[in-house]
Amino acid sequence: MSEYSLLVERPERLLRDRVTDVVREAITRGDLEPGRRLTERELVELTGVSRTSLREALRILQTEGLVERSGARGLQVAVLTADVVNELYDVRAPLEAAAVELFVRNATDEQVAKLLAIMRPQEFDDVTDQLAGTRRFYDVLLDGAGNSILQQMFGSIEARIHALRRLSLRIGGRAEASRRELVGIVDLIEQRDGHGAAALARAHVEAAKAAALAALDGQAPARR
């Protein structure tokens, strides 16, 4: 039996959406690693849901780029390649810079204070804690930016970006460097320096991209 649980409770939300959320989170946490074969029998056992709900969820995850077909092996967790990493970060850089500039323009003082509370002077206990803090940071950032189109665009790649954050933070010293970069962005946001904060946001994305590519270079996909 696996050491992690994908058991899905049955709340009021559509079961398909709950299954999608649970499997997506397992992928972004790394419980289901890149290249891992996804069989209906195993996932039905782990989630406790019907094959119909599971198939619908897997179709959604395919459209998000988290699950892919691999010839005779069927479905598997999408394998991150250098091309995919480059493309995702090339999209993320302008989106993140735009989010920062819009936040400076539109956010309330309370929302700025929330960013400060998340990133300063806090030090994260481990990578999992840092990933959770970073996710909260971007939730507040996008909410304060106040642009629904930007939120949709960022949301469409967020799951894969989060998986890449976990990858990039494996590089020695990257976790602390990433935290310092985000603190620097928040400092300029507090000063309402949108241009400077956006420039730092782009630099942060480029540094994350380099770390993710370096981590990817030493990573072999699982084949189960």
Side-chain angles (χ1 to χ4, degrees):
M1 181 63 66
S2 172
E3 63 182 9
Y4 53 86
S5 173
L6 301 181
L7 187 64
V8 176
E9 296 178 358
R10 296 174 182 262
E12 295 180 359
R13 287 183 62 205
L14 282 175
L15 186 57
R16 175 203 64 195
D17 295 336
R18 289 288 298 169
V19 177
T20 303
D21 289 347
V22 167
V23 179
R24 181 193 295 117
E25 189 65 22
I27 292 172
T28 57
R29 282 198 313 264
D31 294 337
L32 298 174
E33 65 270 32
R36 168 71 178 269
R37 187 183 178 196
L38 299 174
T39 65
E40 286 188 3
R41 184 175 66 179
E42 180 186 23
L43 289 176
V44 165
E45 179 183 345
L46 289 171
T47 59
V49 301
S50 70
R51 288 178 182 266
T52 299
S53 295
L54 180 61
R55 287 169 184 165
E56 291 174 349
L58 290 175
R59 279 196 291 270
I60 292 171
L61 294 172
Q62 278 185 271
T63 66
E64 294 179 0
L66 292 174
V67 170
E68 64 186 10
R69 288 203 171 275
S70 180
R73 298 184 73 248
L75 292 177
Q76 66 178 22
V77 177
V79 176
L80 296 169
T81 65
D83 286 343
V84 170
V85 170
N86 275 301
E87 288 177 0
L88 282 169
Y89 278 106
D90 286 348
V91 170
R92 177 185 161 192
L95 289 179
E96 191 155 325
V100 166
E101 286 198 286
L102 287 169
F103 186 91
V104 169
R105 183 193 308 169
N106 299 326
T108 65
D109 290 341
E110 180 182 3
Q111 288 169 322
V112 173
K114 285 183 179 180
L115 282 188
L116 291 170
I118 292 169
M119 298 309 305
R120 289 194 327 203
Q122 180 175 347
E123 291 190 9
F124 300 105
D125 294 331
D126 54 32
V127 169
T128 298
D129 189 36
Q130 182 162 349
L131 284 166
T134 301
R135 182 173 274 182
R136 292 195 301 274
F137 172 89
Y138 284 105
D139 285 344
V140 175
L141 183 73
L142 290 170
D143 184 52
N147 186 297
S148 61
I149 302 301
L150 178 66
Q151 286 181 319
Q152 290 171 11
M153 295 174 68
F154 207 100
S156 69
I157 61 172
E158 170 56 26
R160 285 192 287 177
I161 286 176
H162 190 68
L164 285 167
R165 286 190 195 114
R166 182 177 294 277
L167 183 67
S168 68
L169 293 179
R170 293 177 183 173
I171 295 296
R174 178 58 199 155
E176 176 55 29
S178 177
R179 193 191 74 82
R180 288 197 306 269
E181 290 158 12
L182 291 180
V183 168
I185 292 168
V186 171
D187 286 342
L188 291 177
I189 286 175
E190 186 181 22
Q191 298 168 34
R192 298 289 180 170
D193 181 355
H195 181 74
L200 279 189
R202 282 184 173 272
H204 168 67
V205 173
E206 289 300 319
K209 175 181 175 180
L213 288 169
L216 186 65
D217 190 50
Q219 173 182 279
R223 297 291 178 187
R224 295 187 184 181

